[in-house]
Amino acid sequence: MSWWSHLKRNSLSLAPSMLGADLARLGEEVAAVEAAGVELLHLDIMDGVFVPNISFGADVCAAIARHATVPLDCHLMIERPERYLEVFREAGCHGLTVHLETMSDPIATLKQIRALGGLAGLAVNPSTELPPVGPLWEHLDLLLVMSVQPGFCGQSFHPEVLGKLESARALREETGLEFALQIDGGVGPAVAGAARAAGADIMVAASAIMGREDRAAAALEMRQAAG
Ligand code: DX5
Ligand code: ZN
């Protein structure tokens, strides 16, 4: 199984971050972005240790799952994520993305996600280099290139990370592997074209979609800007 069995290969997928939603009206917010035609819902989990902010946990993900019809893409910004994979899978998350900076044995953690029937994602902070070519890449369903320092919505996009998307896309072509490429942080119409050209298959957005009253117009602007 890969993300491509849920998404359309070669076309852009949008993943609004529910952290940017009105958290008191989550069910309505899910319905509003799904009506706007988004392909995924992105769930930002922050532990106050790996990042200097605390968001929400598996119970909130389960509540979202009860309303959602599109797959849930869970971004775990937590130390030692292996402790919580089962809990978030049971909460209904399809994809579990873990940070390279938080694990002692990334391959073991990625294998654990797949063993739970999840889609295994690996995230890298702006200052973290991509893992070298090697066995780790075979265990990935998704690579998340962070374009801000994780922890908060509403920050500015770091254009210097686009080179990592290009490198990962080249590695994917050379190896024939099937992982999806995702970009997260400060993504809006102003940078969507560059991110898409560099290889982004999935764009995460809190401010650019959830921060707008008209989610359908916001999603359309992103798609048009991405080209
Ligand atoms: C940042 C999170 C992002 C964030 C995106 O730590 O991983 O998903 O919510 O927010 P915007 O789109 O506002 O940069
Ligand atoms: Zn995120």
Side-chain angles (χ1 to χ4, degrees), residues 20-223:
D22 177 346
L23 298 175
R25 297 171 45 249
L26 268 178
E28 291 160 51
E29 292 283 69
V30 168
V33 280
E34 289 200 357
V38 304
E39 285 80 3
L40 299 174
L41 298 179
H42 184 82
L43 307 182
D44 282 308
I45 312 302
M46 303 178 178
D47 68 353
V49 179
F50 175 58
V51 292
N53 193 10
I54 297 175
S55 58
F56 50 78
D59 290 343
V60 172
C61 295
I64 291 172
R66 285 194 284 277
H67 291 273
T69 62
V70 299
L72 303 183
D73 160 39
C74 181
H75 177 192
L76 294 167
M77 287 163 273
I78 65 178
E79 286 292 347
R80 295 178 48 220
E82 63 280 359
R83 296 172 295 162
Y84 289 101
L85 300 175
E86 197 168 347
V87 172
F88 282 96
R89 266 298 285 153
E90 278 174 7
C93 298
H94 301 79
L96 296 174
T97 296
V98 288
H99 269 260
L100 186 58
E101 302 85 4
T102 61
M103 297 174 285
S104 53
D105 188 346
I107 292 181
T109 307
L110 295 167
K111 279 183 165 173
Q112 198 186 336
I113 295 170
R114 283 184 169 172
L116 291 166
L119 291 157
L122 182 72
V124 287
N125 280 348
S127 58
T128 303
E129 296 296 323
L130 292 180
V133 177
L136 179 140
W137 290 88
E138 291 164 28
H139 301 278
L140 288 191
D141 299 300
L142 175 137
L143 177 78
L144 166 51
V145 172
M146 287 302 302
S147 39
V148 298
Q149 195 59 27
F152 299 94
C153 302
Q155 304 181 73
S156 301
F157 185 81
H158 289 223
E160 66 274 15
V161 307
L162 291 174
K164 280 194 267 188
L165 277 181
E166 289 166 354
S167 303
R169 179 176 56 186
L171 186 147
R172 183 172 69 182
E173 274 162 24
E174 282 157 24
T175 57
L177 292 169
E178 293 230 300
F179 54 85
L181 291 172
Q182 185 178 56
I183 187 122
D184 181 7
V187 178
V191 301
R196 182 75 176 140
D201 304 300
I202 304 170
M203 293 185 193
V204 176
S207 312
I209 297 180
M210 303 311 296
R212 295 269 305 273
E213 192 70 34
D214 186 342
R215 274 65 186 271
L220 185 62
E221 276 174 42
M222 285 275 279
R223 290 189 204 279

